[in-house]
Amino acid sequence: MPTTLTERYIAATIRSLPPSAQDDVRAELEASIADAVEARVEQGESPTDAERAVLSGLGDPAVLAAGYADRPLHLIGPRYYLVWWRLLRLLLWIVTPLAMGAVLLARLLTDATAGEAIAASVTTGIGVIVHIAFWTTLVFVLLERRGAETGVTWDIDRLPEPPQNATGRTDLIGSLVFLAIAAGAVLWDAVRGFVRVDGEAMPILDPALWPWGVTALLVLLVAEAALAIRVYLAGRWTVPLAVVNTVLAFAVAVPVMVLLLQGRIVNPEFVRYLVESGAEDAGASAGGIVATVAVIVGVVIVGGALWDIVDGWRKALSARSPAPAAPRREAVPN
């Protein structure tokens, strides 16, 4: 016996639902569809036309099933959209120019032509934009799905107390994403290597830094993440938090600069590989490449540390400043 359109529609709707909910949804749909078809038949439609009209009105079974399962049909919904958009713009405006400028400077210092340097910079910028957009969006997609799966709903009792000079969730997520990318890059370079020569991985960082130097750096990155979470929970920057931020910035910048001046940051094999691959260039030399890397890394490390310190103290001092009193209004006599 062939199945009816109603049976096919219900089967298509409930097949993506949890088994525990399928029987209840089936019974509900059978009753509601039957009532709607009966109402149309009483108005003079044929049973076949009435059934088709009712099922067409219900729409795509997958959409209906998503409604029953409370499953979002969008990548990022209203709950996270603005946070995602603000963070994405912030990362694109900061990371992309820094990456493009570093590549442009590196190519120019290695005696590349202006056209080659610009082409490499643009290519790097496009790659950075793609990666930032993809990974940032993926984080928020997972947050969206996780919130839906756990059934977290908003109610009036969930309203937080308004903090002074609130540090937003955008700052927290931006800091955690940046630190996660940095930690992942260091681990990937140490374990897998960003460069492959004859099928073998060649790390960019000096292998002598593994495991203790890399572990110390990862510990400092975890401390930075803990500080970002603490600032978010506090709702504002304070002087003690700014002091901790300053200490962490120096703890990262000073050892890196010392190792950089000692020539112990970049893998010597990697430098040798760059020299051999560019041997036809008259200006190519190990000293020139090391100097180029030193300039780039030094500018990034020192500039980033100074900006982090100044930004932390600026926010802490701003939070301490009392808000201007609202002007008093004189009572207007009746």
Side-chain angles (χ1 to χ4, degrees), residues 10-29:
I10 294 175
T13 301
I14 67 174
R15 67 185 177 188
S16 62
L17 297 177
S20 59
Q22 290 184 2
D23 291 340
D24 292 339
V25 174
R26 177 186 291 276
E28 179 181 340
L29 284 177

Side-chain angles (χ1 to χ4, degrees), residues 6 9-10 28-38 54-55 58:
T6 298
Y9 186 91
I10 294 175
E28 179 181 340
L29 284 177
E30 287 177 346
S32 61
I33 291 173
D35 292 342
V37 170
E38 182 180 354
V54 170
L55 297 179
L58 289 175

Side-chain angles (χ1 to χ4, degrees), residues 1-4 7:
M1 179 178 178
T3 56
T4 64
E7 292 172 343

Side-chain angles (χ1 to χ4, degrees), residues 243-278:
V243 171
V244 173
N245 182 62
T246 302
V247 172
L248 287 177
F250 277 111
V252 174
V254 172
V256 171
M257 291 301 299
V258 170
L259 292 173
L260 188 64
L261 294 175
Q262 295 176 349
R264 297 169 55 192
I265 286 290
V266 182
N267 182 7
E269 293 295 327
F270 178 66
V271 175
R272 188 176 299 111
Y273 166 74
L274 291 180
V275 172
E276 292 175 353
S277 63

